[in-house]
Amino acid sequence: MFRSAAAISGHLVGPLWGKKVGASLTRCLHQTLTMAKRLQAHRLDGIDHNPWVEFTRLASQYNAVNLGQGFPDFSPPDFALEAFQQAISGDIMLNQYTMAFGYPPLTRILADFFGKLLGQELDPLKNVLVTVGAYGALFTAFQALVDEGDEVIIIEPFFDCYEPMTLMAGGRPVFVSLKPSHTPEGGLKLSSDWQLDPTELASKFTSRTKALVLNTPNNPLGKVFSKSELELVASLCQQHDVLCISDEVYQWLVYDEHQHISIASLPGMWERTLTIGSAGKTFSATGWKVGWVLGPDHIMKHLRTVHQNSVYHCPTQAQAAVAKSFEQELRHLGQPSSYFVQLPQAMQRNRDHMIRSLRSVGLDPIIPQGSYFLITDILQIKNKMPDLPGAADEPYDRRFVKWMIKNKGLVAIPVSIFYSGPHQMDFDHYIRFCFVKNEGTLRAMDEKLQNWKAELKP
Ligand SMILES: Cc1ncc(COP(=O)(O)O)c(C=O)c1O
């Protein structure tokens, strides 16, 4: 099922890295516009630095094993590839515009599929919006709902775009951290041990709170919020009349008998929740950039206004391929032949492989119950590490990752980038690895770790 694909990472980092560029292009790159007026909009203040750029560049420069970015380096399932091929070679009208809010067969199947899961009768025209990836869904939601001065509660660690998206909409992010509970000596560390303090969470709600962003399964931690945790969030949202933006792009990727629960399915939550999904994560095709948002019409109509006046609609052929892929899944749902059964089984094997590999060198991964990421504590090996270059105020995990890429040929992502500025130093001793990788990549990781082992072992 998981056919290995050629190295994808080269496509992800700009083709310019490491190559000579033509004279005219160089001139172009060096010409800067000087304006008497302020050039960039104020809404970009404070969000113009993106830490991903540096780690992506280093990964390609050192030709390291890339366990950083969250994309599969294996092929999507055959049925999805065939659906895409059919979409580009079949009906010529799929080359043209479609309905602004989604290609009708896709909105219909999303309504049918997710209606069953959410326990709601969904109207494809009113309750579904197809977007350019889950990113597009998030951006549309923030633009449609968050106003100047509105507060948005974001649970840390968080998928890093939530903060700039809140700021760009004029909102004020308010952060609350999941905190690890104490693990007895020698006990397993689990992502479920990271919890919200109910009193602290409640204290973040004010009369200005407009929305809370939930991400389950969580990136980067892999935590799957339990029913009781979701009930706590739900009751606070209802008590304070707050919307919930629920990012559920990893909903199929849950392990060890854990269950993903959509907060919109809890009593009283459908009316105030937007549920966001991604075909990229669902069908291992992140480049297709098809996402969706589901919700009640009284909220969705505002998202439609943003969507209609920004991207208008997403590529028709990609939508057609996703529609066909869902049709296929609907026929297999819950059976061993379902991709939504096979993918998590395969990823659980990858997760366990990675855990064994990291443990064999003395690292201490926190076992995720969902997503395709795990984070590992690097404190245990800090005393075996050389002095790392970098500014004193640069979080340790960032210096560690840069050193690891250059010296050990392994790419991970420092977890502090998933925290707000004031909390980064408190969580600067974890790094995130991505395990949605093919066997060859995992074996290459094993090799790198084994070479490192001699230095790390006590
Ligand atoms: C939690 C989360 N939400 C949204 C996205 C974006 O998804 P898409 O690729 O569909 O835009 C990602 C991608 O990594 C993610 O991890």
Side-chain angles (χ1 to χ4, degrees):
M1 178 184 52
F2 300 107
R3 279 197 280 118
S4 168
I8 294 170
S9 51
H11 298 283
L12 289 174
V13 291
L16 289 180
W17 293 120
K19 291 201 182 141
K20 282 196 176 142
V21 289
S24 60
L25 181 53
T26 316
R27 231 184 355 264
C28 237
L29 290 172
H30 291 287
Q31 277 170 356
T32 340
L33 174 67
T34 40
M35 270 184 100
K37 295 174 192 141
R38 180 189 156 97
L39 182 60
Q40 78 278 25
H42 282 291
R43 75 180 71 88
L44 302 189
D45 288 351
I47 64 163
D48 46 359
H49 174 72
N50 185 331
W52 289 90
V53 176
E54 187 178 8
F55 293 104
T56 311
R57 184 179 54 76
L58 278 176
S60 77
Q61 197 179 331
Y62 287 87
N63 198 18
V65 179
N66 196 346
L67 305 163
Q69 282 173 304
F71 63 88
D73 64 356
F74 50 78
S75 169
D78 286 345
F79 68 84
L81 288 180
E82 281 155 22
F84 211 118
Q85 276 152 8
Q86 207 182 327
I88 55 172
S89 57
D91 181 358
I92 57 160
M93 291 316 288
L94 292 179
N95 292 292
Q96 306 307 330
Y97 293 134
T98 183
M99 302 281 284
F101 308 130
Y103 173 63
L106 179 57
T107 52
R108 276 199 300 273
I109 192 122
L110 289 174
D112 188 21
F113 200 94
F114 287 97
K116 287 190 181 73
L117 298 179
L118 296 174
Q120 294 285 333
E121 186 80 23
L122 298 191
D123 180 333
L125 295 176
K126 294 186 172 154
N127 304 126
V128 181
L129 174 67
V130 177
T131 54
V132 181
Y135 252 110
L138 288 161
F139 187 76
T140 310
F142 283 102
Q143 286 297 314
L145 305 171
V146 177
D147 225 339
E148 206 63 41
D150 284 346
E151 291 178 1
V152 176
I153 298 176
I154 298 176
I155 299 169
E156 296 176 311
F158 60 91
F159 180 50
D160 56 310
C161 71
Y162 304 153
E163 182 180 13
M165 284 193 187
T166 303
L167 292 169
M168 273 191 282
R172 192 172 86 78
V174 174
F175 298 98
V176 57
S177 305
L178 287 159
K179 295 194 186 77
S181 54
H182 178 71
T183 315
E185 191 64 32
L188 288 181
K189 289 188 176 163
L190 306 168
S191 63
S192 53
D193 296 336
W194 289 54
Q195 291 185 357
L196 291 168
D197 172 347
T199 314
E200 189 189 3
L201 177 63
S203 74
K204 302 291 174 180
F205 285 78
T206 72
S207 57
R208 290 180 302 279
T209 310
K210 184 68 178 286
L212 175 144
V213 190
L214 180 74
N215 175 212
T216 181
N218 167 276
N219 171 10
L221 187 56
K223 177 185 170 71
V224 177
F225 281 72
S226 68
K227 184 149 189 241
S228 59
E229 289 170 317
L230 294 175
E231 282 168 346
L232 169 70
V233 172
S235 77
L236 287 166
C237 286
Q238 291 177 35
Q239 200 182 318
H240 295 273
D241 195 18
V242 163
L243 300 168
C244 181
I245 299 173
S246 188
D247 180 343
E248 304 183 11
V249 298
Y250 299 107
Q251 78 173 95
W252 309 111
L253 292 153
V254 281
Y255 313 119
D256 307 324
E257 315 297 318
H258 284 276
Q259 239 205 327
H260 167 76
I261 301 169
S262 288
I263 195 166
S265 68
L266 300 187
M269 284 308 284
W270 166 255
E271 293 73 18
R272 57 178 68 250
T273 302
L274 292 173
T275 306
I276 289 173
S278 161
K281 307 294 180 182
T282 301
F283 295 112
S284 307
T286 55
W288 292 9
K289 288 304 286 183
V290 174
W292 55 85
V293 50
L294 313 169
D297 188 43
H298 64 269
I299 307 181
M300 294 296 286
K301 66 180 182 189
H302 303 298
L303 274 71
R304 291 196 290 269
T305 306
V306 174
H307 185 80
Q308 196 159 26
N309 293 298
S310 50
V311 297
Y312 195 72
H313 86 63
C314 310
T316 312
Q317 290 161 331
Q319 294 193 60
V322 175
K324 274 263 176 312
S325 303
F326 266 111
E327 280 162 25
Q328 153 91 9
E329 263 308 300
L330 203 53
R331 287 194 289 276
H332 294 259
L333 200 60
Q335 298 168 42
S337 54
S338 161
Y339 190 63
F340 299 166
V341 172
Q342 292 177 355
L343 181 66
Q345 284 172 350
M347 288 313 108
Q348 183 164 328
R349 287 194 293 275
N350 281 10
R351 178 198 70 167
D352 295 344
H353 179 145
M354 188 175 266
I355 289 170
R356 278 194 303 275
S357 201
L358 291 169
R359 282 204 183 128
S360 76
V361 296
L363 282 162
D364 193 11
I366 292 157
I367 301 169
Q369 292 119 26
S371 84
Y372 38 56
F373 304 107
L374 62 77
I375 71 171
T376 190
D377 199 329
I378 49 174
L379 267 190
Q380 282 93 347
I381 59 167
K382 196 171 176 181
N383 59 356
K384 301 186 187 107
M385 291 289 296
D387 279 342
L388 300 183
D393 61 349
E394 186 180 9
Y396 183 74
D397 57 348
R398 297 185 201 198
R399 291 189 276 141
F400 183 94
V401 166
K402 280 188 242 174
W403 175 88
M404 188 171 75
I405 296 172
K406 290 179 192 166
N407 295 280
K408 302 296 161 198
L410 276 173
V411 186
I413 299 294
V415 168
S416 64
I417 72 170
F418 301 98
Y419 281 85
S420 58
H423 295 165
Q424 286 179 358
M425 284 303 198
D426 299 336
F427 293 90
D428 74 341
H429 56 278
Y430 297 99
I431 58 176
R432 188 196 79 173
F433 287 98
C434 173
F435 53 84
V436 67
K437 301 295 170 191
N438 69 47
E439 245 187 86
T441 307
L442 294 179
R443 274 204 302 271
M445 167 195 73
D446 293 341
E447 210 178 297
K448 299 275 185 196
L449 285 171
Q450 288 311 310
N451 290 341
W452 192 1
K453 187 173 174 172
E455 296 166 43
L456 287 175
K457 276 279 181 186

